[in-house]
């Protein structure tokens, strides 16, 4: 590999925090004496093109400044190379940084892992559906939570977090069981109606909600959490347990680990890393050890 470090940023990540985080990351790397080549994408397509360009120039590391969606959007390019990735978390959820115990409050400390960190090989999730093949890093959501995300994206009013709450209220009022059909690790496709299914490469989504508590990004397995059909009141009562990662022992929740799951349902949508990644019948599996991320040395402050 080359001697320079490539810095690829999404300046719009985290409601504009990406630009400030990129500046802080570059400043820290300059202070450390690193040679930098900087790239900033203004759209998902341009960011992917810039990632491919940066990787062709053979950097020692690729520093990605943005949210989980920024990195997952370039996984096709990154996983085709051996260049290690350094994630400077500047999104709204930052669940991959949480899972890997990366610095989340100081972009400079996160960027410095390009020089001071150690490589960690992690798995990447893959969703194949009518939308094509899409890759993800954290949790693929199907059912109620995916509908909330989809509704949030379709609403034009109000702005900010209130739009999410309105979408949540609408979908709660419209709550009905999803007619899931599920196959795990090649078993026969069978009826499994439910409120939601979460397929996790890591434990949390949505900025720390541990829906797949105990999932690890480097174990070569998916964690599959299925919540059976619930009334509105029972779903509301389950949320506090979910926020604490204590829901997996509830009788209405099942949890298993597998390498592949196929899910079908009417009007099914799949969200992961904040993006719509699947629709219709979908197959979800892992690309084990597909990505190398620089992480703090064991025992270092994270």
């Amino acid at each position: 590999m080359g001697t320079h470090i490539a810095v690829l940023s999404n300046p719009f990540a985290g409601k504009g925090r990406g630009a400030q985080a990129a500046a802080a990351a570059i400043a820290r790397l300059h202070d450390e004496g690193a040679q930098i080549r900087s790239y900033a994408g203004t759209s998902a397509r341009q960011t992917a093109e810039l990632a491919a360009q940066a990787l062709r120039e053979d950097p020692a590391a690729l520093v990605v400044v943005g949210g989980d969606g920024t990195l997952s959007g370039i996984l096709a390019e990154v996983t085709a190379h051996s260049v290690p990735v350094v994630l400077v978390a500047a999104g709204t959820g930052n669940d991959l940084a949480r899972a890997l115990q990366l610095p989340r409050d100081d972009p400079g400390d996160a960027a410095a892992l390009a020089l001071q960190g150690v490589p960690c090989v992690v798995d990447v999730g893959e969703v194949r559906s009518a939308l094509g093949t899409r890759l993800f890093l954290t949790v693929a959501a199907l059912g109620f939570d995916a509908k909330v995300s989809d509704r949030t994206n379709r609403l034009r009013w109000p702005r900010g977090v209130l739009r999410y709450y309105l979408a949540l209220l609408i979908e709660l009022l419209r709550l009905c069981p999803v007619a899931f059909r599920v196959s795990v690790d090649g078993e026969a496709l069978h009826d499994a109606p439910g409120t939601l299914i979460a397929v996790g490469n890591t434990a949390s989504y949505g900025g720390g909600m541990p829906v797949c508590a105990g999932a690890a990004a480097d174990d070569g397995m998916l964690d599959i959490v299925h919540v059976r059909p619930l009334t509105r009141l029972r779903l509301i009562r389950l949320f506090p347990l979910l926020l604490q990662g204590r829901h997996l022992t509830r009788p209405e929740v099942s949890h298993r680990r597998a390498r592949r799951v196929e899910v079908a349902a009417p009007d099914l949508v799949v969200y992961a890393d904040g993006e719509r990644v699947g629709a219709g019948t979908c197959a979800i599996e892992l690309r084990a050890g597909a990505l190398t991320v620089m992480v703090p040395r064991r025992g270092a402050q994270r």
Side-chain angles (χ1 to χ4, degrees):
M1 296 182 190
T3 57
H4 74 279
I5 294 173
V7 178
L8 175 64
S9 64
N10 174 4
F12 304 107
K15 301 177 181 178
R17 291 194 298 273
Q20 292 181 336
I26 291 171
R28 175 64 176 272
L29 290 170
H30 276 308
D31 289 345
E32 298 283 349
Q35 179 185 349
I36 306 298
R37 296 183 190 176
S38 179
Y39 313 80
T42 57
S43 68
R45 180 175 180 177
Q46 185 185 40
T47 300
E49 291 171 349
L50 289 173
Q53 176 186 337
L55 290 166
R56 284 195 300 269
E57 295 172 359
D58 198 29
L62 175 65
V63 177
V64 179
V65 184
D68 294 332
T70 303
L71 179 53
S72 66
I74 62 170
L75 282 174
E77 290 76 20
V78 172
T79 56
H81 292 76
S82 58
V83 175
V85 168
V86 180
L87 178 60
V88 176
T92 54
N94 299 323
D95 287 287
L96 182 64
R98 182 177 285 102
L100 300 181
Q101 296 183 288
L102 305 178
R104 287 181 283 133
D105 299 323
D106 190 323
D109 285 349
L113 292 174
L115 304 170
Q116 303 165 2
V118 295
C120 175
V121 177
V122 300
D123 307 325
V124 171
E126 175 186 280
V127 179
R128 294 197 306 276
S129 75
L131 297 185
T133 300
R134 301 285 296 273
L135 304 180
F136 70 95
L137 295 160
T138 58
V139 178
L142 307 87
F144 177 76
D145 40 3
K147 290 179 179 180
V148 172
S149 296
D150 204 45
R151 175 76 60 179
T152 302
N153 288 346
R154 288 187 282 120
L155 289 174
R156 295 293 175 263
W157 180 91
R159 293 186 175 184
V161 70
L162 291 178
R163 185 168 60 177
Y164 174 81
Y165 289 144
L166 177 59
L168 182 64
L169 177 61
I170 292 172
E171 292 304 325
L172 191 60
L173 293 173
R174 293 166 58 92
L175 180 68
C176 61
V178 180
F180 292 121
R181 288 178 59 77
V182 178
S183 168
V184 177
D185 281 346
E187 66 188 19
L189 200 66
H190 62 276
D191 293 334
T195 300
L196 64 86
I197 292 175
V199 182
N201 182 41
T202 64
S204 71
Y205 61 7
M209 188 180 296
V211 64
C212 295
D218 60 355
D219 63 358
M221 301 291 284
L222 292 166
D223 283 57
I224 304 165
V225 174
H226 175 266
V227 178
R228 296 178 178 85
L230 298 178
T231 64
R232 297 182 186 90
L233 182 57
R234 290 185 69 187
L235 179 57
I236 291 170
R237 287 176 173 172
L238 184 65
F239 268 119
L241 295 177
L242 196 157
L243 291 171
Q244 300 171 54
R246 296 169 50 207
H247 58 295
L248 298 183
T249 59
R250 296 292 302 170
E252 63 267 33
V253 179
S254 64
H255 173 220
R256 64 189 295 188
R257 291 188 169 94
R259 288 184 168 84
R260 186 179 190 275
V261 58
E262 183 177 339
V263 183
D267 303 317
L268 181 70
V269 294
V270 186
Y271 270 76
D273 300 338
E275 307 293 333
R276 183 171 178 164
V277 297
T281 299
C282 66
I284 305 174
E285 56 188 310
L286 278 184
R287 296 186 181 181
L291 181 68
T292 300
V293 182
M294 300 299 290
V295 301
R297 295 180 183 277
R298 185 172 298 176
Q301 181 66 35
R302 296 181 180 181

